[in-house]
């Protein structure tokens, strides 16, 4: 899918003004996480509308060149090549970590600035790079916070229902490295070899007190949830989803009461900034539902890029050189980038992290269980 979006500037036509082009990578078709892509794009587009309504970049409007990655790393890398050839000043977006890694690697090789909105894999590039910055917290930080939540809730025997991927394997390793020294155990159950019914047998045999869903949606995550909820041997087992599967409305719509009370990671503060409160209203109108944290990541992406473009222009090298000097008030706090140990890209160290769940008494409401 090739989609070019240019929000209309206010007032009279500005046909003589050359737009500042930004490439955008988002999953908009299956097997990508389509709801995440829709929310991310909504935040990006609302951010561009606000920038253009306030005069753009020295009078030049921002234009988004949107490319659907469909959760395909090769497709994302090819899109980066295409967008670079089209003369974009930078590339932004992406939700899936493995896809973002392919995009970041290609952007680094081309000397194209890439602001990653939502992917969390620690090593987005094999070597440290000056060309890539990221808003989402790294997986190692978020998943350690999730592990602390499990320990605090009294869970020591943890099972993970996992599919084979670099992202899920990294998550399992982070959990095991953090939990084992603290008296916990992590048992990996390969969902390429197990049916949901066989998974339930394994959980009962191992006397696991928590099951983490390191799998895709809707399949096999939703059938697993249904099977575990229906199994009388597993009524005391906590199900969790650190990757955030229950965040989006289709989860609740498909699973109903079975989908509540499943803690997941969400990257929002306890209170949004004043900008965030205003943006939340605009996002709700655009999405016709409550905005997810991914939508705010999209808006903050544009806020950062607009600030850099106003200060340094559309030259790619100057944009990348400016990442360490960013200081922007976003929807979720003050955004600044720095080097973090073990992270290959410039990182927003202050990204908020929460463990939340859909409230069993009010499924549209999220309860904060832990923050870090």
């Amino acid at each position: 899918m090739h989609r070019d979006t240019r929000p209309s500037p206010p007032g009279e036509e500005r046909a003589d003004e050359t737009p500042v082009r930004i490439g955008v990578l988002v999953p908009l078709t299956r097997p990508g996480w389509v709801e995440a892509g829709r929310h991310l794009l909504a935040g990006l587009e609302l951010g561009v509308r606000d920038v253009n309504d306030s005069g753009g970049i020295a009078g030049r409007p921002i234009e988004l060149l949107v490319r659907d990655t469909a959760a395909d790393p090769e497709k994302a890398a090819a899109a980066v090549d295409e967008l670079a050839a089209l003369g974009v000043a930078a590339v932004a977006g992406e939700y899936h970590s493995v896809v973002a890694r392919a995009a970041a690697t290609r952007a680094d090789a081309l000397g194209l600035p890439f602001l990653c909105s939502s992917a969390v894999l620690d090593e987005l590039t094999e070597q440290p790079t000056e060309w890539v910055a990221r808003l989402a917290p790294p997986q190692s930080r978020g998943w350690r916070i999730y592990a602390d939540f499990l320990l605090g809730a009294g869970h020591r025997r943890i099972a993970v229902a996992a599919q084979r991927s670099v992202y899920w394997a990294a998550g399992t390793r982070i959990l095991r490295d953090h939990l084992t020294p603290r008296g916990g155990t992590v048992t990996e159950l390969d969902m390429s070899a197990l049916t949901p019914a066989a998974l339930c047998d394994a959980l009962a045999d191992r006397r696991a007190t928590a099951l983490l869903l390191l799998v895709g949606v809707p399949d096999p995550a939703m059938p697993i949830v249904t099977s575990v909820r229906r199994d009388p041997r597993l009524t005391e087992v906590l199900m969790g989803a650190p990757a955030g599967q229950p965040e989006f409305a289709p989860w609740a719509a498909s699973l109903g009461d079975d989908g509540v009370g499943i803690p997941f990671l969400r990257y929002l503060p306890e209170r949004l900034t004043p900008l965030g409160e205003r943006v939340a209203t605009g996002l709700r109108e655009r999405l016709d539902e409550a905005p997810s944290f991914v939508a705010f990541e999209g808006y903050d992406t544009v806020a950062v890029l607009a600030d850099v473009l106003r200060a340094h222009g559309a030259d790619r090298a100057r944009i990348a050189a400016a990442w360490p000097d960013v200081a922007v008030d976003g929807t979720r706090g003050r955004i600044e980038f720095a080097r973090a140990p073990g992270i290959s890209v410039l990182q927003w160290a202050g990204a908020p992290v929460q463990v939340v769940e859909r409230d069993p008494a009010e499924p549209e409401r999220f309860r904060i269980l832990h923050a870090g």
Side-chain angles (χ1 to χ4, degrees):
M1 175 178 179
H2 287 198
R3 174 180 174 185
D4 292 1
T5 66
R6 179 178 177 177
S8 299
E12 60 188 44
E13 287 292 321
R14 297 177 175 177
D16 59 330
E17 294 171 354
T18 304
V20 179
R21 288 181 159 188
I22 303 295
V24 167
L25 306 176
V26 279
L28 296 175
T29 55
R30 301 286 183 196
W33 203 333
V34 173
E35 279 299 301
R38 188 171 75 90
H39 279 237
L40 180 55
L41 184 58
L44 290 159
E45 290 180 336
L46 181 60
V48 167
R49 189 200 71 181
D50 286 354
V51 170
N52 288 345
D53 284 354
S54 63
I57 307 301
R60 300 171 63 190
I62 292 179
E63 178 184 356
L64 298 183
L65 306 186
V66 181
R67 300 296 182 263
D68 173 22
T69 62
D72 185 334
E74 293 185 4
K75 191 171 184 178
V80 172
D81 282 340
E82 179 201 1
L83 291 165
L86 289 172
V88 299
V91 172
E94 193 46 47
Y95 179 81
H96 296 284
S97 282
V98 176
V99 177
R101 185 175 65 168
T105 298
R106 192 65 192 138
D108 179 49
L110 293 173
L112 178 63
F114 176 36
L115 180 52
C116 182
S117 303
S118 200
V120 299
L121 196 67
D122 281 27
E123 295 181 355
L124 279 181
T125 54
E126 291 186 6
Q127 301 296 328
T129 176
E130 305 295 330
W131 292 97
V132 183
R134 173 169 53 191
L135 286 169
Q139 187 179 15
S140 56
R141 176 173 169 242
W143 288 47
R144 283 197 296 263
I145 290 170
Y146 194 92
D148 287 336
F149 157 73
L150 291 173
L151 292 170
H155 295 284
R156 296 293 186 278
R157 296 191 301 276
I158 315 299
V160 298
Q163 291 178 301
R164 294 175 183 174
S165 84
V166 172
Y167 175 62
W168 300 125
T172 301
R173 183 174 62 253
I174 292 163
L175 292 168
R176 182 174 285 121
D177 289 349
H178 195 73
L179 290 167
T180 301
R182 294 162 177 81
T185 61
V186 176
T187 301
E188 186 173 358
L189 302 173
D190 182 3
M191 292 314 299
S192 68
L194 295 174
T195 64
L199 171 67
C200 290
D201 292 339
L203 293 174
D205 291 343
R206 289 164 173 78
R207 299 171 59 210
T209 67
L211 169 67
L212 305 186
L213 304 171
L214 309 193
V215 292
V217 288
D219 296 318
M222 291 182 180
I224 290 172
V225 171
T226 300
S227 293
V228 172
R229 293 293 199 214
R230 300 290 186 272
D231 195 316
R233 300 171 296 174
L234 306 177
T235 56
E236 300 301 317
V237 172
L238 171 77
M239 275 190 288
Q245 295 94 322
E247 168 76 15
F248 299 100
W251 176 275
S254 297
L255 288 170
D257 290 344
D258 286 344
V260 304
I262 298 177
F264 64 93
L265 286 168
R266 182 174 72 164
Y267 307 131
L268 288 177
E270 185 175 355
R271 291 182 179 83
L272 293 167
T273 66
L275 171 64
E277 294 289 353
R278 179 180 66 77
V279 168
T281 300
L283 288 170
R284 182 180 288 274
E285 293 173 353
R286 185 173 285 258
L287 291 163
D288 198 28
E289 64 184 8
S292 70
F293 70 86
V294 180
F296 291 100
E297 288 175 326
Y299 190 95
D300 284 341
T301 298
V302 174
V304 169
L305 285 172
D307 185 77
V308 171
L309 289 165
R310 289 184 183 116
H312 302 282
D315 178 79
R316 293 173 178 176
R318 294 181 66 190
I319 290 170
W323 295 142
D325 299 323
V326 165
V328 175
D329 290 323
T331 62
R332 299 166 297 141
R334 183 80 164 172
I335 300 170
E336 298 178 351
F337 297 119
R339 288 288 175 192
I343 309 301
S344 60
V345 301
L346 277 296
Q347 178 69 50
W348 180 24
V353 178
Q354 299 173 340
V355 179
V356 304
E357 67 179 7
R358 287 186 178 271
D359 189 341
E362 191 179 344
E364 296 304 311
R365 175 179 175 269
F366 295 107
R367 298 194 301 187
I368 300 174
L369 305 174
H370 185 73

